[in-house]
Amino acid sequence: MADPVANTGSTATTPDGGVDNLIQVENLEVRFYTQVGVVRALNGVDFNIPRGQVLGVVGESGSGKSITGLSIMQLVPRPGRVEGGRILYKDKPDSKTINILDLGRQSDEMRAIRGDDIGMIFQEPMTSLNPVFKVGAQIQEAILLHQTPNKQEAWDRAVDILDKVGMPNARRVANSYPHELSGGMRQRAMIAMALSCSPNLLIADEPTTALDVTTEAQILSLMRDLQSEIGTSIMFITHNMGVVAQMCDEVAVMYLGRIVERATVDDIFYDPKHPYTISLLRSIPRLGQKRGQRLEVIKGGVPDPYSTVTGCPFHPRCPSFMPGLCDTVLPIEAFIEGKTNHTVRCHLYPGCTPDSDQAVTGVSGTIPTTSKAQ
Amino acid sequence: MASTAGVAQDLRQAAKDKKKDVGQMSQWQLMARRFMQNKLSVLGLLILLGLYVLAAFSGFLAPYQFNELDSNNVFTSPTGISFAGGRPSVCGQSQVLNEELLEYEYVEDCSKRYPIQFFVRGFEYKLLGLFPTNWHLFGVSQAGAPVDEATGKPQEIKLFLFGADNQGRDMLAQILQGARVSLTVGLIGVGIATILGSVLGTASGYFGGFIDNVMQRTIELISSIPQIPLWAALAAALPREMSVVRRYILITVVLSLVAWTGLARQVRGKVMGYRSLDYANATRAAGGSHTRIILTHMLPNAVSHIVVVAALAIPGAILAETALSFLGLGMLRPAVSWGVLLRDAQSVQVVMDYPWLMIPAVLVIITLTCYQFLGDGLRDAVDPYS
Amino acid sequence: MVNFIARRLIAMVITLLFISIIAFFLIELPPGSALDAELLRLRSRGGNLSLSQVRELEERFGVHDPWQEKYFKWVGGLFRGDFGYSFRYSREVGPLIAGRLGFSLLLAGTSLLFAWLVSIPLGVYSATHRNTIPDYIITTIQFVGVAVPEFLLALVLMVFAARFLGADVGGLFSRQYEAAPWSWGKVWDLMKHLWLPVIVVSAGSTAWLTRVMRANLLDVLNAQYVQTARAKGLKENAVVWKHAVRNALHPLIMTLGGVLPALIGGEVIASIVLNLPTAGPLFIEALRNQDMYLAITFLMFTSVLLVIGNLLADLLLAWVDPRVRLE
Ligand SMILES: Nc1ncnc2c1ncn2[C@@H]1O[C@H](COP(=O)(O)OP(=O)(O)O)[C@@H](O)[C@H]1O
Ligand SMILES: [Mg+2]
């Protein structure tokens, strides 16, 4: 993977003061009411996506990245429910802020946002296109829904956008069925579909995980080009730090349904604060690493989603574990001194340990999961 | 999603009783555990076991012989039981002369009651087909029965829990006897079909090539003839005159002759999947014989699936026997099965007048539904991801 | 495409040829013939048939020929539109059965249509409203529906219709139309009689298809492309009906070939109970009386239906799913 130094994102101008956030997520909580018990998938997630920027969301699988993306679309699958928080969305810098969660899941307003304002790409290119419809028709469907009622025009636009995502012979591709395309081509078609209505935000959920390295590089460079061309913001979900380095302006690190560190991509790579982030970075191979030196793995595994961890959820695996503190008190989010916005949730840093009366609310954030006895 | 929840549930369940780690449990234990969690299937299994026990003890449970004719009790409706005086008892009958027809008729006469007794002696039978005895669960005390004026003998006071049929035969006794046939014909038929299907399916899937080709065409051919007409034609080809036991055996064969194709197809698919797996190749490379590979690697792996497919095939076979007997092509009197009994209930008029003749149908439905629940539960237990 | 159909048609003819041999052998198998029964009947009426007369009759109908010979005679006759002779009814099989087969087909076809029209919406509703009370009700009815034998349902419905609807149950026509030529009144009368047998015959298939539809749709609704469709901003109805249902129809279509003969099987039983003038009861009668040409004609007819149903299913599948190629 490329050296992080080379790529710091193309539009990495950190906004100061009056930040123009396209999306601002506040204290988002999502729970799954399964037969076995309640799964707390997201426990108060806060982040924002500045207009025109690329936010990387990283974390091990199961940390809640996909659910975060789906929450923005109001597409959390059953038996999941968004239980709290706000998702503020601003269509244009001067338009009114709306809380997406206030819209009904099936309301016309919400459906107008889906596909038109916010597009989404999924991890599995093999299964994210409907096998029984032509690729062109599936893109045309989105355009007909949001842009023009004219079928021919929509079809032409679909072909155009396929051309734009670098499909050789876009006309033929539009007329083929998904099973006739390779994985990379399908993912390009998905990108075309997601971008067909020029959305303000593109949520890309591990778009390259299922692809081989060469195809991955092509897709990433395509997304970067399109991003700078259209000016779309991207929420780029991945578990691959190398991809983050190539793609993102800002990074949010997730662990067990919480964001544990937020910073610019430079800060994440050169000045990581949270022990989890540090371990994540250590686990990627680097150029110049001594031969024979072992790659580090984070010890332990992600805990069972049904069980409860008191205190900092990372403490059982943390190399800097402080007994008596980390296993009892949930750290709160605090700013790190510096020129850029850099926040962390870890008792190692000042401001993260709540004072005693706040500690009560902090701990109450981890109500033991009430697993319904079967 | 439900299935992932199911798996998670297993893990949790296992984690709860800390005695055993899921990782250490055998595949069978895991399946058994998943099966036990499906309440409907367990209920189905319990009801079925109950029915089989009833059938096994039919002689003990029935107060009268199933083929005992009684011209005094043609179409007698289920006897009312009263608990007056704290003991269950039945009403007697009194004989009145119909002046117009100049015949004796029987009307219920509750002026005298006959108590029901438990563990009484009655007709001879063999308990479980082995031990000759004449003990029965219940009977009616005959003390004080009036004398029949036509015959001069004391009247027999009878208890027909489920009524009597057009020849005065006790429906309860017939249903219990019929259960022996109806509950086993399908089971044995599917058993034979399973053996046939497993052997042929394994051979077909394992050897492939010519054998497979012939087998597949044969199966296609058989399944190109609609099942029920084919079953009917096969059953009709059986000679009419033969012993009950022979007919029973031949009907099971008829059932299995059609049912094996589906099983063979499933087994073939499984075996073909296994054939390409590494361990089969490894065994072959190590010089293992075909038989060895099939017996030690493929069959054990396919067994759980064979069981599931077989279980799902049982209700069809039971229904087929009922339908054939109902049409007069399956079991025939003097043999009794639920289908044979339902032959008497073919017309609306009969059903409206003597609804108790439909009791066997209720039992058919219960049996089939339970088998379906059972099969579904087995499938989910074996293959939680499907 | 044309190539595919042509090859399938050839395969069909070969299959049917084999089936006819098997079926013929099967029906020839039991000893005795319908002629014996017929002779017995004549004798019992006091008719004094001489031995030579019997010989002549046996000769004429080839009773003592080996079965292969009879088979070829029969197949030869088929090409001339001669389906053989029914001893029991003393008539040619062709005209005897033709009208009844028509009603069989009408009943099976209507039932098939009914089963699909009911099971698809029910299955979709059940799957999209999983674990709600209507879903539980539908699921329970399904389980019982598969388990209830046709004849029982037929009886229960008939009792119900006779008692509460005052409907004229049994048969396909009212008495005044039975022998009347076709007219609108007769068609309407047919409709009034048809609904009950249709429900009876299609109940099992409907229940089963609903179950299949529900299970498939549940699978498909978890598919990524359904989420993609939602992410486009489509209405949930469009997501379900356009994107999901079409993919869930697969196994339903594959069973089309099997459902048709299952319906015919149900028709046989329902017709006996409901006293319908279809071919089913004739078939059972024929089997019981060793009236072989009648029986085999029916058996072949249902096999032809099944084979055609399978071909239709294949074509339909290719039309619904582009991944299935016909070559
Ligand atoms: N359908 C579901 N049922 C129950 N729990 C779920 C479901 N989907 C997701 N979750 C829970 O939500 C958590 C976050 O999932 P997800 O966002 O998919 O993780 P990621 O995308 O980071 O790998 C998981 O740990 C899982 O426990
Ligand atoms: Mg994910």
Side-chain angles (χ1 to χ4, degrees):
Chain A
M1 213 39 70
D3 191 315
V5 196
N7 304 286
T8 49
S10 44
T11 51
T13 45
T14 321
D16 46 6
V19 191
D20 175 24
N21 286 325
L22 180 70
I23 289 278
Q24 188 168 348
V25 175
E26 293 176 356
N27 202 22
L28 184 64
E29 295 203 13
V30 173
R31 293 182 196 168
F32 282 86
Y33 294 87
T34 67
Q35 291 168 324
V36 196
V38 182
V39 180
R40 302 176 49 124
L42 299 184
N43 309 291
V45 167
D46 295 277
F47 66 91
N48 46 281
I49 307 173
R51 195 174 297 280
Q53 301 234 330
V54 181
L55 172 77
V57 178
V58 289
E60 283 162 294
S61 58
S63 54
K65 308 181 298 289
S66 302
I67 298 296
T68 308
L70 290 171
S71 302
I72 298 177
M73 299 289 269
Q74 287 230 63
L75 285 179
V76 176
R78 287 203 305 171
R81 280 219 304 266
V82 178
E83 296 276 83
R86 298 199 295 173
I87 298 175
L88 302 177
Y89 169 69
K90 218 150 85 172
D91 185 13
K92 300 204 177 58
D94 47 357
S95 59
K96 223 175 80 213
T97 306
I98 54 165
N99 180 2
I100 286 182
L101 295 179
D102 286 344
L103 306 176
R105 277 176 67 108
Q106 298 299 334
S107 64
D108 291 345
E109 295 93 331
M110 193 61 232
R111 286 189 298 103
I113 290 179
R114 281 183 209 137
D116 195 18
D117 291 26
I118 308 176
M120 189 153 183
I121 312 173
F122 299 98
Q123 177 173 349
E124 281 292 329
M126 291 320 215
T127 55
S128 44
L129 289 166
N130 193 327
V132 302
F133 296 112
K134 286 178 179 168
V135 172
Q138 297 189 47
I139 300 174
Q140 179 195 28
E141 188 180 29
I143 299 172
L144 280 174
L145 212 53
H146 300 294
Q147 308 264 300
T148 166
N150 182 323
K151 285 202 171 149
Q152 186 55 47
E153 195 186 333
W155 179 266
D156 292 342
R157 274 203 220 176
V159 174
D160 278 352
I161 188 98
L162 280 172
D163 194 47
K164 208 159 164 186
V165 297
M167 286 284 200
N169 201 347
R171 199 161 295 279
R172 217 193 58 226
V173 169
N175 268 311
S176 29
Y177 288 97
H179 70 274
E180 297 166 330
L181 305 181
S182 68
M185 299 251 275
R186 285 191 221 183
Q187 200 57 302
R188 274 176 205 263
M190 270 306 291
I191 293 175
M193 187 191 300
L195 293 180
S196 59
C197 301
S198 319
N200 290 326
L201 174 67
L202 177 66
I203 301 173
D205 188 353
E206 312 206 19
T208 56
T209 308
L211 302 177
D212 62 78
V213 187
T214 328
T215 321
E216 173 173 45
Q218 287 170 358
I219 296 285
L220 289 179
S221 93
L222 168 72
M223 287 184 70
R224 231 177 7 238
D225 294 348
L226 290 173
Q227 196 268 334
S228 54
E229 191 185 323
I230 309 175
T232 305
S233 305
I234 300 182
M235 176 176 165
F236 198 98
I237 298 172
T238 177
H239 56 241
N240 185 334
M241 290 305 267
V243 173
V244 171
Q246 281 181 63
M247 287 295 298
C248 306
D249 303 316
E250 303 206 11
V251 182
V253 181
M254 284 192 82
Y255 187 76
L256 272 188
R258 285 195 180 81
I259 290 189
V260 294
E261 185 165 7
R262 279 195 283 167
T264 61
V265 74
D266 283 355
D267 280 353
I268 285 288
F269 280 97
Y270 293 109
D271 191 16
K273 296 294 186 199
H274 199 284
Y276 178 62
T277 318
I278 296 170
S279 334
L280 268 186
L281 286 166
R282 288 226 182 101
S283 60
I284 47 172
R286 291 154 194 262
L287 284 176
Q289 200 165 24
K290 282 201 205 83
R291 275 184 69 178
Q293 189 181 335
R294 275 176 168 266
L295 268 180
E296 277 185 46
V297 286
I298 309 177
K299 67 170 197 223
V302 182
D304 167 14
Y306 298 97
S307 62
T308 329
V309 184
T310 54
C312 171
F314 188 58
H315 83 257
R317 304 168 72 188
C318 184
S320 326
F321 169 54
M322 295 177 281
L325 180 61
C326 292
D327 51 358
T328 52
V329 184
L330 179 74
I332 56 173
E333 190 170 37
F335 280 99
I336 299 289
E337 296 277 325
K339 291 190 290 292
T340 54
N341 282 330
H342 189 163
T343 65
V344 70
R345 265 172 182 267
C346 173
H347 290 304
L348 292 173
Y349 302 96
C352 286
T353 312
D355 352 316
S356 52
D357 54 326
Q358 275 174 317
V360 179
T361 55
V363 173
S364 72
T366 56
I367 319 160
T369 40
T370 47
S371 40
K372 268 187 247 164
Q374 265 285 292
Chain B
M1 237 187 282
S3 55
T4 46
V7 173
Q9 200 171 343
D10 294 339
L11 296 173
R12 306 252 313 145
Q13 183 71 37
K16 252 188 230 153
D17 48 16
K18 286 241 164 72
K19 277 171 253 136
K20 250 182 202 156
D21 186 4
V22 183
Q24 291 165 359
M25 289 174 66
S26 78
Q27 195 192 359
W28 292 104
Q29 283 170 311
L30 272 174
M31 286 180 199
R33 163 158 286 162
R34 277 198 293 262
F35 180 81
M36 295 307 286
Q37 276 164 359
N38 190 334
K39 294 200 188 65
L40 272 183
S41 317
V42 176
L43 181 72
L45 181 64
L46 290 178
I47 294 178
L48 284 175
L49 287 178
L51 286 173
Y52 279 97
V53 169
L54 291 184
F57 288 96
S58 62
F60 175 66
L61 296 168
Y64 312 106
Q65 248 153 346
F66 72 92
N67 48 9
E68 179 185 320
L69 306 181
D70 181 352
S71 54
N72 286 347
N73 279 298
V74 171
F75 286 130
T76 300
S77 58
T79 316
I81 297 175
S82 90
F83 288 90
R87 291 184 62 195
S89 58
V90 299
C91 293
Q93 286 178 325
S94 65
Q95 237 172 356
V96 286
L97 191 66
N98 185 323
E99 313 259 317
E100 281 170 45
L101 297 172
L102 281 179
E103 283 210 38
Y104 283 117
E105 281 180 352
Y106 294 90
V107 293
E108 193 164 67
D109 172 16
C110 285
S111 59
K112 178 150 178 40
R113 301 196 147 273
Y114 302 86
I116 297 176
Q117 295 172 323
F118 291 94
F119 298 102
V120 295
R121 290 184 182 274
F123 66 89
E124 285 273 346
Y125 66 96
K126 280 190 181 151
L127 189 66
L128 296 174
L130 294 175
F131 316 107
T133 172
N134 58 3
W135 283 105
H136 295 271
L137 181 62
F138 61 89
V140 181
S141 157
Q142 302 294 332
V147 173
D148 191 310
E149 284 166 31
T151 57
K153 287 187 212 150
Q155 257 182 51
E156 193 185 358
I157 308 297
K158 281 187 160 184
L159 164 59
F160 294 110
L161 215 50
F162 286 172
D165 73 357
N166 57 355
Q167 313 250 21
R169 286 172 289 216
D170 178 25
M171 282 303 281
L172 174 68
Q174 293 201 78
I175 287 171
L176 286 168
Q177 178 66 24
R180 298 186 142 198
V181 172
S182 292
L183 289 176
T184 52
V185 164
L187 204 62
I188 295 176
V190 170
I192 300 174
T194 306
I195 296 169
L196 213 62
S198 306
V199 171
L200 295 178
T202 309
S204 179
Y206 184 79
F207 294 108
F210 179 72
I211 297 181
D212 186 36
N213 226 329
V214 171
M215 210 77 82
Q216 285 316 103
R217 295 294 88 74
T218 312
I219 292 177
E220 250 166 51
L221 203 62
I222 295 180
S223 34
S224 294
I225 311 177
Q227 271 201 2
I228 292 186
L230 178 57
W231 260 323
L234 280 170
L238 304 177
R240 307 230 102 200
E241 311 295 333
M242 61 170 115
S243 73
V244 169
V245 177
R246 262 190 80 194
R247 188 157 193 99
Y248 177 90
I249 295 171
L250 287 175
I251 292 286
T252 60
V253 172
V254 164
L255 292 179
S256 61
L257 275 183
V258 180
W260 71 273
T261 54
L263 283 146
R265 237 185 222 162
Q266 299 266 350
V267 174
R268 170 179 177 266
K270 280 280 162 222
V271 169
M272 287 199 42
Y274 293 138
R275 189 173 58 160
S276 52
L277 291 182
D278 287 339
Y279 57 78
N281 287 329
T283 316
R284 206 159 335 170
S289 70
H290 288 313
T291 336
R292 200 184 132 81
I293 296 174
I294 291 176
L295 287 183
T296 60
H297 293 292
M298 293 183 172
L299 273 184
N301 274 298
V303 154
S304 56
H305 293 273
I306 293 177
V307 169
V308 170
V309 178
L312 289 169
I314 293 173
I318 292 181
L319 192 55
E321 185 273 326
T322 309
L324 287 180
S325 301
F326 177 78
L327 293 174
L329 295 169
M331 298 302 289
L332 301 169
R333 292 227 189 237
V336 180
S337 80
W338 291 344
V340 171
L341 293 178
L342 286 167
R343 231 174 123 56
D344 295 336
Q346 276 196 355
S347 83
V348 178
Q349 206 49 49
V350 171
V351 174
M352 278 178 60
D353 293 346
Y354 318 114
W356 56 90
L357 294 185
M358 295 300 273
I359 294 175
V362 176
L363 288 168
V364 171
I365 295 176
I366 293 176
T367 307
L368 294 183
T369 311
C370 288
Y371 262 117
Q372 276 189 77
F373 285 147
L374 182 67
D376 266 27
L378 283 177
R379 186 186 50 203
D380 291 348
V382 166
D383 193 6
Y385 303 100
S386 76
Chain C
M1 179 73 175
V2 176
N3 200 346
F4 169 82
I5 296 179
R7 276 193 300 125
R8 278 298 298 266
L9 284 176
I10 294 172
M12 264 168 61
V13 171
I14 296 173
T15 309
L16 288 174
L17 203 72
F18 274 106
I19 292 178
S20 69
I21 296 176
I22 296 175
F24 198 91
F25 174 73
L26 208 65
I27 287 174
E28 252 301 279
L29 202 58
S33 73
L35 188 62
D36 295 341
E38 205 59 13
L39 291 177
L40 210 66
R41 194 173 59 85
L42 286 177
R43 285 212 187 91
S44 70
R45 289 212 185 142
N48 214 346
L49 284 150
S50 71
L51 215 58
S52 63
Q53 272 175 304
V54 172
R55 283 274 150 66
E56 201 219 321
L57 271 175
E58 284 182 348
E59 192 71 16
R60 196 163 105 221
F61 293 115
V63 171
H64 295 300
D65 293 350
W67 74 272
Q68 309 88 307
E69 208 163 300
K70 284 193 218 166
Y71 173 77
F72 284 115
K73 249 193 224 167
W74 172 67
V75 169
L78 286 189
F79 289 104
R80 282 176 274 115
D82 173 11
F83 292 90
Y85 186 80
S86 161
F87 298 105
R88 171 108 169 106
Y89 294 90
S90 312
R91 281 179 64 188
E92 292 285 317
V93 167
L96 176 66
I97 208 173
R100 284 176 166 253
L101 282 180
F103 284 128
S104 288
L105 206 56
L106 174 72
L107 184 52
T110 319
S111 302
L112 181 68
L113 208 64
F114 182 84
W116 276 58
L117 286 182
V118 172
S119 63
I120 293 177
L122 270 189
V124 170
Y125 184 88
S126 200
T128 51
H129 294 73
R130 195 148 83 113
N131 297 338
T132 60
I133 289 179
D135 175 36
Y136 291 139
I137 295 175
I138 293 172
T139 309
T140 314
I141 295 179
Q142 271 161 225
F143 264 108
V144 181
V146 174
V148 176
E150 276 97 357
F151 62 86
L152 178 66
L153 189 66
L155 284 171
V156 170
L157 275 181
M158 270 171 84
V159 171
F160 177 81
R163 276 253 166 98
F164 301 105
L165 304 180
D168 171 21
V169 291
L172 277 181
F173 298 102
S174 313
R175 189 144 305 142
Q176 78 258 32
Y177 282 113
E178 220 156 290
W182 282 102
S183 65
W184 284 116
K186 186 167 178 176
V187 171
W188 177 238
D189 188 57
L190 177 64
M191 293 294 153
K192 277 197 295 194
H193 283 79
L194 201 57
W195 67 269
L196 203 136
V198 164
I199 292 181
V200 170
V201 172
S202 62
S205 304
T206 308
W208 186 68
L209 288 175
T210 309
R211 203 154 121 196
V212 174
M213 186 68 203
R214 179 180 183 272
N216 286 322
L217 194 62
L218 280 178
D219 270 358
V220 172
L221 283 175
N222 282 329
Q224 190 71 77
Y225 55 79
V226 171
Q227 198 70 303
T228 306
R230 290 203 182 100
K232 271 184 214 174
L234 281 176
K235 284 203 170 105
E236 188 64 20
N237 265 337
V239 171
V240 170
W241 285 99
K242 184 174 170 191
H243 286 265
V245 170
R246 176 123 181 226
N247 281 283
L249 282 180
H250 240 170
L252 234 59
I253 294 173
M254 280 199 271
T255 59
L256 177 72
V259 168
L260 208 56
L263 291 174
I264 296 271
E267 178 264 319
V268 172
I269 292 165
S271 295
I272 289 178
V273 178
L274 296 175
N275 187 24
L276 304 182
T278 59
L282 219 55
F283 172 62
I284 298 299
E285 265 308 293
L287 282 180
R288 277 208 290 247
N289 293 302
Q290 317 268 315
D291 197 354
M292 61 169 306
Y293 291 109
L294 193 52
I296 202 167
T297 305
F298 182 82
L299 205 56
M300 286 309 294
F301 167 74
T302 53
S303 300
V304 169
L305 270 191
L306 198 156
V307 177
I308 291 178
N310 279 335
L311 176 64
L312 284 182
D314 280 353
L315 294 178
L316 205 58
L317 204 59
W319 178 65
V320 166
D321 188 344
R323 282 170 298 183
V324 179
R325 293 232 194 84
L326 303 178
E327 59 213 5

